[in-house]
């Protein structure tokens, strides 16, 4: 029973959940920004994925710095500042990032935009560290989960409308914009967007700072020492810099410049091919031309493309001969970055088993396995959405332009909202048939809400109507999982594997639905992984939570890794990365269940908690 004398501070809670919205809005909006930047700045898939690299690496760096300062002082620095003040600091820092973004957009510098996003996300890192415990503090701790889940639901709503708003800022109300036209777009609306976002950050900070109903949230607790864990994390960070440096440097190498020179020679022919491909898309979508005439016109255009391709074949063959070894070289270093994380965590756990002193929470197998699981989960969640725009450009996926992908990106991130809203039902202690009915109704309401928001914004959602069948499959999965985290993770991990395999082995609408279903599979994973990872940590629970937040780094490493694999194998084939990720997440559920059983912890008694 909850203590009724501890009343929820609703004014403070409603103020707090605004920051949850910002996290989702910006993160999901990046999935539109990535394909736009690829066309606008003429980038390869890896370079465009640096948007995610900058954004999610900032979460890791921010969490690591907070942990380092706290460890050195022996006190939780965020708790010492107070959750209220920490959120204000985080919002102002994000506002500074929005300002940097405006300057970079005005100067038309891609690297500057990445710096702006990095600063925005550094602010988010501080906000996220403070917001979850603050939500629990604003009422009875026993009902804290429902408040955190409310924030998660608002976060998911942000992920749904973020792609729509960013698409409007980039492309305006145009139904379709070709990649060649993207290169000549004015970015003034992006400046307006970030002016608006920056002002909202400042307004939210002012609302927090001046509100007398929002408590300071000071929580002075001793910080458990983990100097060996800190040292290992710092070394891992250094090794990550070593691994990424050759990749970045290779874009200024002799080979890269040679490729650039050849591409400039054939630029007129390449532009002609792009224009002809755009013409094919226009003809396909033309409702006036008869089907027979369409086929004849398209065949004629394709013949022109074949002729031009034959003319420049010697140059394109030369580019391939130079590019393949260069791309493999880059892939080796990126794979090394992944190994740094895996081996670093395994080394930490192995060393902690020999002598636990100085390792803190890393002495627990569930925490180390969970750190790798959070890394994998965030990585696959972001990678599916961020690479989706490039996938939809393929002929077998509809030959969509960057300006036409917003409904699909919105539905992907909205799929996470569908699952999170369904997952939040358990926080309200509904019983029997009422709970069962809500478990059916809530996901369907969320699905139709996503359709409605997109339709109101002028998007054609007809191709996504039958996606409701995938939502029904997810509802069935929820009934089978019965709110048990290990079981939930196994079922949804298997769902993810099957969806990705179907997507890899098919094309068209079936494959699109399958890849979008990755969002449904990911939707409930964060709280399931979190609950399984921190159970049994005792006095190290807070520290373990901080380590888990650091592993949001997966969103900065796995998407660029898939992007580079795409440059080698092709964007469709690169989704094998998602299969491997879901396979580990399913394996984690098995391994952690076995580990907790050895510690005499009843896995089935654990409740799913937390929100991302």
């Amino acid at each position: 029973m909850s203590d009724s004398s501890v009343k929820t501070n609703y004014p403070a809670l409603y103020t707090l959940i605004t920051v949850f919205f910002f996290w989702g809005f910006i993160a999901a909006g990046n999935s539109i920004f990535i394909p736009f930047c690829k066309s606008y700045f003429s980038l390869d898939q890896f370079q465009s994925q640096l948007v995610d690299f900058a954004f999610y690496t900032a979460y890791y760096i921010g969490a690591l710095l907070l942990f380092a300062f706290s460890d050195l002082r022996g006190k939780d620095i965020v708790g010492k500042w107070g959750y209220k003040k920490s959120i204000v600091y985080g919002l102002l820092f994000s506002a500074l990032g929005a300002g940097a973004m405006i300057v970079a957009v005005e100067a038309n510098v891609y690297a500057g935009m990445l710096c702006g996003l990095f600063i925005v996300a550094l602010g988010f890192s501080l906000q996220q560290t403070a917001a979850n415990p603050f939500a629990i503090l604003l009422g009875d701790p026993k009902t804290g989960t429902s408040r955190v889940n409310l924030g998660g639901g608002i976060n998911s709503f942000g992920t749904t409308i973020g792609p729509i708003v960013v698409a409007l800022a980039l492309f305006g109300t145009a139904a379709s914009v070709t990649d060649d036209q993207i290169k000549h777009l004015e970015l003034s609306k992006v400046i307006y967007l970030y002016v608006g976002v920056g002002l909202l950050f400042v307004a939210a900070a002012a609302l927090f700072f001046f509100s007398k109903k929002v408590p300071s949230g000071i929580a002075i607790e001793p910080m458990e020492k983990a100097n060996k864990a800190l040292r290992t994390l710092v070394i891992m960070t250094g090794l990550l810099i070593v691994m990424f440096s050759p990749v970045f440097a290779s874009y200024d190498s002799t080979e890269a410049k040679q490729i650039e020179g050849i591409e400039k020679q054939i630029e007129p022919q390449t532009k002609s091919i792009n224009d002809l491909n755009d013409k094919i898309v226009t003809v396909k979508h033309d409702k006036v031309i008869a089907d027979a005439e369409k086929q004849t016109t398209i065949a004629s255009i394709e013949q022109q493309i074949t002729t031009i391709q034959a003319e420049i074949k010697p140059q394109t063959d030369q580019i391939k001969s130079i590019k393949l070894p260069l791309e493999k070289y880059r892939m080796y270093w990126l794979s090394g970055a992944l190994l740094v994380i895996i081996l670093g965590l395994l080394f930490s756990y192995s060393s902690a088993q020999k002598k636990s002193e100085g390792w803190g929470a890393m002495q627990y197998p569930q925490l180390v396995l969970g750190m790798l699981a959070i890394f994998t989960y965030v990585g696959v969640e972001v990678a599916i959405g961020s690479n989706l725009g490039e996938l939809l450009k393929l002929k077998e996926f509809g030959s969509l332009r960057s300006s036409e992908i917003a409904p699909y990106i919105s539905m992907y991130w909205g799929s996470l909202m569908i699952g999170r809203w369904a997952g939040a039902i358990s926080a309200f202690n509904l019983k029997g048939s009422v709970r069962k009915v809500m478990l059916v109704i809530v996901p369907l309401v969320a699905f139709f809400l996503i359709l409605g928001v997109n339709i109101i914004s002028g998007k054609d959602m007809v191709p996504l109507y039958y996606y409701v069948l995938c939502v029904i499959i997810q509802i069935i999965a929820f009934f089978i999982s019965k709110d048990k985290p290990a079981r939930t993770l196994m079922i949804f991990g298997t769902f993810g594997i099957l969806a990705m395999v179907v997507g890899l082995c098919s094309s068209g609408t079936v494959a699109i639905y399958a890849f979008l279903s990755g969002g449904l599979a990911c939707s409930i994973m964060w709280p399931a992984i979190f609950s399984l990872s921190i159970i049994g940590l005792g006095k190290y629970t807070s520290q373990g939570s901080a380590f888990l937040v650091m592993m949001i780094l997966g969103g900065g490493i796995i998407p660029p890794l898939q992007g580079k694999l795409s440059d080698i194998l092709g964007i469709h084939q690169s989704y094998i990365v998602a299969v491997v990720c879901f396979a580990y997440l399913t394996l984690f559920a098995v391994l952690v269940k076995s580990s907790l059983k050895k510690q005499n912890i009843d896995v089935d008694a654990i409740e799913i908690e937390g929100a991302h």
Side-chain angles (χ1 to χ4, degrees):
M1 293 289 289
S2 297
D3 184 359
S4 59
S5 64
V6 182
K7 293 183 179 180
T8 300
N9 186 338
Y10 286 107
L13 178 62
Y14 297 147
T15 305
L16 176 64
I17 60 177
T18 57
V19 300
F20 283 80
F21 176 84
F22 288 140
W23 305 338
F25 180 89
I26 300 293
N30 287 343
S31 296
I32 296 291
F33 200 56
I34 286 168
F36 171 83
C37 285
K38 181 176 181 181
S39 298
Y40 189 83
F41 293 103
S42 300
L43 308 172
D44 66 22
Q45 190 63 9
F46 166 77
Q47 289 173 304
S48 69
Q49 291 293 332
L50 293 179
V51 168
D52 282 334
F53 174 78
F55 190 77
Y56 290 98
T57 301
Y59 269 93
Y60 169 71
I61 297 296
L64 180 59
L65 288 172
L66 288 171
F67 171 65
F69 287 133
S70 298
D71 189 72
L72 291 171
R73 293 190 176 191
K75 290 181 180 177
D76 179 9
I77 195 168
V78 172
K80 185 180 178 183
W81 288 342
Y83 298 133
K84 176 179 178 178
K85 195 177 287 186
S86 296
I87 290 171
V88 170
Y89 291 158
L91 285 164
L92 292 176
F93 212 84
S94 292
L96 186 66
M101 189 74 173
I102 292 164
V103 172
V105 172
E106 186 68 49
N108 212 28
V109 178
Y110 180 56
M113 295 180 191
L114 297 180
C115 289
L117 281 171
F118 182 85
I119 297 169
V120 168
L122 270 180
F124 283 3
S125 178
L126 179 53
Q127 293 166 40
Q128 185 149 346
T129 302
N132 284 347
F134 198 22
I136 293 170
L137 190 71
L138 294 177
D140 182 357
K142 293 180 181 178
T143 58
T145 299
S146 63
R147 292 189 291 278
V148 174
N149 279 328
L150 175 62
I154 299 299
N155 171 274
S156 295
F157 184 64
T159 65
T160 302
I161 70 168
I164 301 169
V165 175
V166 173
L168 285 170
L170 293 172
F171 308 112
T173 55
S176 182
V177 179
T178 68
D179 285 353
D180 187 56
Q181 289 172 328
I182 286 175
K183 296 178 188 293
H184 301 97
L185 284 176
E186 291 289 333
L187 295 184
S188 56
K189 287 184 180 178
V190 178
I191 293 174
Y192 297 148
L193 173 65
Y194 273 91
V195 166
V197 168
L199 289 174
L200 284 172
F201 287 146
V202 173
L207 190 64
F208 265 91
F209 186 76
F210 292 109
S211 175
K212 293 179 180 179
K213 293 184 178 180
V214 178
S216 60
I218 293 174
I220 301 174
E221 294 181 3
M223 185 80 175
E224 297 298 333
K225 282 288 181 182
N227 56 302
K228 290 179 182 177
L230 175 59
R231 186 166 62 245
T232 303
L233 287 166
V234 170
I235 291 170
M236 285 168 61
T237 304
L239 288 173
L240 287 174
I241 294 170
V242 170
M243 294 297 170
F244 272 96
S245 294
V247 181
F248 295 145
S250 71
Y251 281 92
D252 197 38
S253 64
T254 304
E255 293 86 352
K257 288 177 180 177
Q258 193 176 351
I259 291 169
E260 189 179 347
I262 300 168
E263 286 175 340
K264 282 185 178 179
Q265 289 176 19
I266 61 173
E267 191 173 352
Q269 292 94 329
T270 305
K271 185 179 181 303
S272 295
I273 291 172
N274 290 335
D275 289 342
L276 289 168
N277 279 321
D278 284 332
K279 196 173 179 181
I280 289 174
V281 175
T282 303
V283 171
K284 280 183 177 178
H285 288 93
D286 196 318
K287 295 178 181 179
V288 178
I289 304 173
D291 288 342
E293 189 180 345
K294 277 186 183 180
Q295 291 175 5
T296 304
T297 305
I298 290 171
S300 174
I301 296 170
E302 287 176 342
Q303 182 58 49
Q304 293 177 57
I305 292 172
T306 303
T307 303
I308 298 171
Q309 286 174 336
E311 289 175 5
I312 61 173
K313 190 175 185 301
Q315 289 93 333
T316 53
D317 286 346
Q318 188 180 359
I319 289 172
K320 287 177 184 176
S321 65
I322 302 169
K323 201 170 188 177
L324 186 59
L326 184 60
E327 296 293 20
K328 286 182 177 179
Y329 168 81
R330 292 165 176 165
M331 191 67 190
Y332 292 146
W333 284 105
L334 288 171
S335 300
L338 186 62
L339 282 175
V340 165
I341 300 297
I342 297 171
L343 297 179
L345 290 176
L346 292 177
F347 166 78
S348 299
Y349 173 66
S350 176
S351 300
Q353 291 306 294
K354 294 173 185 175
K355 190 177 181 181
S356 62
E357 185 183 350
W359 285 102
M362 282 192 178
Q363 65 189 274
Y364 293 92
Q366 63 265 37
L367 189 275
V368 177
L369 289 168
M371 287 173 72
L372 190 54
I374 288 289
F375 176 88
T376 306
Y377 153 72
V378 177
V380 71
E381 173 190 282
V382 175
I384 293 171
S386 295
N387 286 288
L388 194 59
E390 189 63 20
L391 182 78
L392 294 171
K393 289 182 181 180
L394 296 180
K395 184 179 179 181
E396 58 269 33
F397 283 86
S399 301
L400 298 183
R401 294 163 179 165
S402 297
S403 59
E404 298 172 319
I405 64 171
Y408 297 89
I409 301 297
S410 177
M411 184 58 77
Y412 171 73
W413 289 103
S415 294
L416 280 99
M417 181 180 82
I418 292 168
R420 287 170 185 167
W421 281 19
I425 292 171
S426 60
F428 296 98
N429 296 317
L430 301 176
K431 303 294 181 183
S433 59
V434 175
R435 182 184 176 280
K436 290 177 182 178
V437 170
M438 292 302 291
L439 205 53
V440 174
I441 291 175
V442 169
L444 293 176
V445 168
F447 171 71
F448 288 114
L449 177 64
I450 298 162
L451 287 181
V453 169
N454 278 275
I455 290 168
I456 290 169
S457 69
K459 305 298 181 186
D460 178 16
M461 298 302 288
V462 174
L464 290 170
Y465 284 173
Y466 290 103
Y467 184 64
V468 70
L469 297 174
C470 299
V471 176
I472 291 169
I473 294 173
Q474 187 204 43
I475 292 170
I476 294 169
F478 268 113
F479 274 102
I480 299 171
S481 62
K482 298 179 180 178
D483 281 338
K484 296 176 180 178
R487 185 186 180 111
T488 296
L489 208 51
M490 274 187 265
I491 291 168
F492 278 80
T494 304
F495 178 25
I497 294 170
L498 293 173
M500 295 305 104
V501 170
V502 169
L504 282 166
C505 297
S506 59
S507 60
T509 302
V510 171
I512 292 171
Y513 280 14
F515 288 130
L516 290 178
S517 293
L520 296 172
C522 286
S523 62
I524 198 65
M525 285 188 171
W526 173 278
I529 296 168
F530 216 94
S531 300
L532 290 166
S533 302
I534 63 172
I535 189 71
L537 266 58
K539 64 181 181 180
Y540 295 106
T541 300
S542 178
Q543 189 182 94
S545 298
F547 285 151
L548 290 171
V549 170
M550 284 183 207
M551 289 298 103
I552 290 176
L553 173 67
I557 291 183
I558 292 177
L561 188 68
Q562 182 178 344
K564 184 48 62 191
L565 192 63
S566 165
D567 291 331
I568 298 171
L569 299 179
I571 188 66
H572 191 184
Q573 291 75 14
S574 74
Y575 272 82
I576 188 68
V577 170
V579 177
V580 175
C581 289
F582 280 122
Y584 172 70
L585 292 168
T586 308
L587 178 64
F588 164 73
V590 177
L591 293 176
V592 78
K593 187 172 183 178
S594 173
S595 177
L596 291 173
K597 192 175 181 180
K598 290 177 183 177
Q599 298 174 49
N600 296 317
I601 296 173
D602 184 4
V603 179
D604 291 336
I606 303 170
E607 293 182 3
I608 294 180
E609 295 183 357
H612 173 40

